[in-house]
Amino acid sequence: MPVKAVVWGENVHEHQSSIVAATYPDGMHTCIADALNSDPRISATTATLQEPEHGLTEARLADTDVLLWWGHAAHGEVSDTVVERVCDAVWSGMGMIFLHSAHFSKPFKRLMGSPCNLTWREAGERERLWVTSRNHPITQGLPDSFELDMEEMYGEPFGVPEPLETVFISWFQGGEVFRSGLTYKRGAGSIFYFRPGHETYATYHDSHVRTVLKNSVRWAFNPMARIADPNAAPNVPAADAPEKIEDRGPKLHADGDDGFR
């Protein structure tokens, strides 16, 4: 069975900027989904901010293997209920890929637990991405480096936790560098952050970028069954302890009572 991916797009710039609309006439989310669907091992659909529940109902997420997230201008408009739902799905085992300006999205900041801040400049600079792990599944089929003629600069320091792996490092024409491909594990879910993708440039039409997107979806896929309740914190009675113990001393909770949260 193919990996079931959902590409979530903010879908705002496409309706506000003629440049973005010309570059991505069917929306950035559709362009990304088209790239994924060129791989027969992936079946990609889309969801947008404007749909009820942002297109990410509990049932939709339960049926999603990997969620890709692109946002920029409307981070604050994303429902906190949906954010928690997405994070629960990741902790349960859903794969997650955050693209470009999603570093400031609510789900990314929630999962990272950090400011996720950086330096930036919008000057249409040349960017060279260097592969830092040749044997990594996300880098398969890529040269040692590849170039994007025009991109927005993101510069270090990047206010995120230390990643499990740094897969790409970018150099920009103005001299800055940035960790552009980072992997994380949160609960049972695998997370990949991939930096390129500013909306006014044709980044998601680039063949190397599209290869990264396909590779990362397959890498993030977890074939194991989801954890039923990743937030569960059960009160285990002394009688149910793995080893025999005596129940003694004062306590605040009766057996089976919920704890304080």
Side-chain angles (χ1 to χ4, degrees), residues 83-93 227 230-231:
V83 171
E84 288 303 306
R85 188 181 295 163
V86 168
C87 292
D88 281 351
V90 173
W91 292 323
S92 296
I227 296 173
N231 295 291

Side-chain angles (χ1 to χ4, degrees), residues 24-236:
Y24 299 102
D26 297 318
M28 298 176 71
H29 52 287
T30 301
C31 180
I32 294 167
D34 287 346
L36 299 179
N37 283 322
S38 69
D39 187 331
R41 294 167 290 182
I42 301 172
S43 175
T45 57
T46 65
T48 62
L49 175 71
Q50 296 77 22
E51 297 174 43
E53 300 183 68
H54 310 322
L56 300 175
T57 63
E58 289 185 4
R60 182 85 180 276
L61 287 174
D63 194 45
T64 299
D65 294 322
V66 181
L67 177 64
L68 297 90
W69 191 283
W70 194 101
H72 187 192
H75 295 315
E77 296 179 27
V78 177
S79 161
D80 289 341
T81 299
V82 172
V83 171
E84 288 303 306
R85 188 181 295 163
V86 168
C87 292
D88 281 351
V90 173
W91 292 323
S92 296
M94 182 184 74
M96 189 88 199
I97 298 168
F98 290 98
L99 301 172
H100 191 60
S101 286
H103 69 93
F104 267 164
S105 68
K106 288 182 179 180
F108 189 69
K109 295 184 78 172
R110 176 83 167 90
L111 290 164
M112 294 297 107
S114 63
C116 304
N117 55 317
L118 44 79
T119 63
W120 62 283
R121 180 173 54 244
E122 191 177 14
E125 297 174 53
R126 181 163 48 89
E127 173 183 3
R128 180 169 290 277
L129 290 100
W130 287 93
V131 171
T132 59
S133 180
R134 286 177 171 170
N135 291 327
H136 199 283
I138 292 176
T139 68
Q140 296 309 294
L142 296 175
D144 287 345
S145 71
F146 63 93
E147 190 172 293
L148 299 174
D149 184 56
M150 297 182 71
E151 252 299 348
E152 180 180 28
M153 184 280 291
Y154 279 5
E156 295 285 348
F158 188 15
V160 292
E162 194 66 23
L164 290 176
E165 304 157 303
T166 299
V167 182
F168 297 105
I169 292 177
S170 288
W171 169 88
F172 294 90
Q173 198 170 353
E176 289 89 351
V177 296
F178 192 76
R179 292 168 292 163
S180 284
L182 305 177
T183 70
Y184 294 92
K185 192 80 170 180
R186 291 294 183 266
S190 295
I191 298 172
F192 179 56
Y193 171 77
F194 186 50
R195 195 217 67 82
H198 188 60
E199 60 272 13
T200 59
Y201 310 126
T203 299
Y204 293 120
H205 295 289
D206 181 86
S207 62
H208 293 314
V209 169
R210 291 164 82 90
T211 294
V212 173
L213 295 174
K214 290 180 281 189
N215 287 350
S216 62
V217 165
R218 296 196 303 273
W219 167 85
F221 170 57
N222 180 1
M224 303 298 292
R226 293 276 181 91
I227 296 173
D229 183 1
N231 295 291
N235 176 1
V236 181

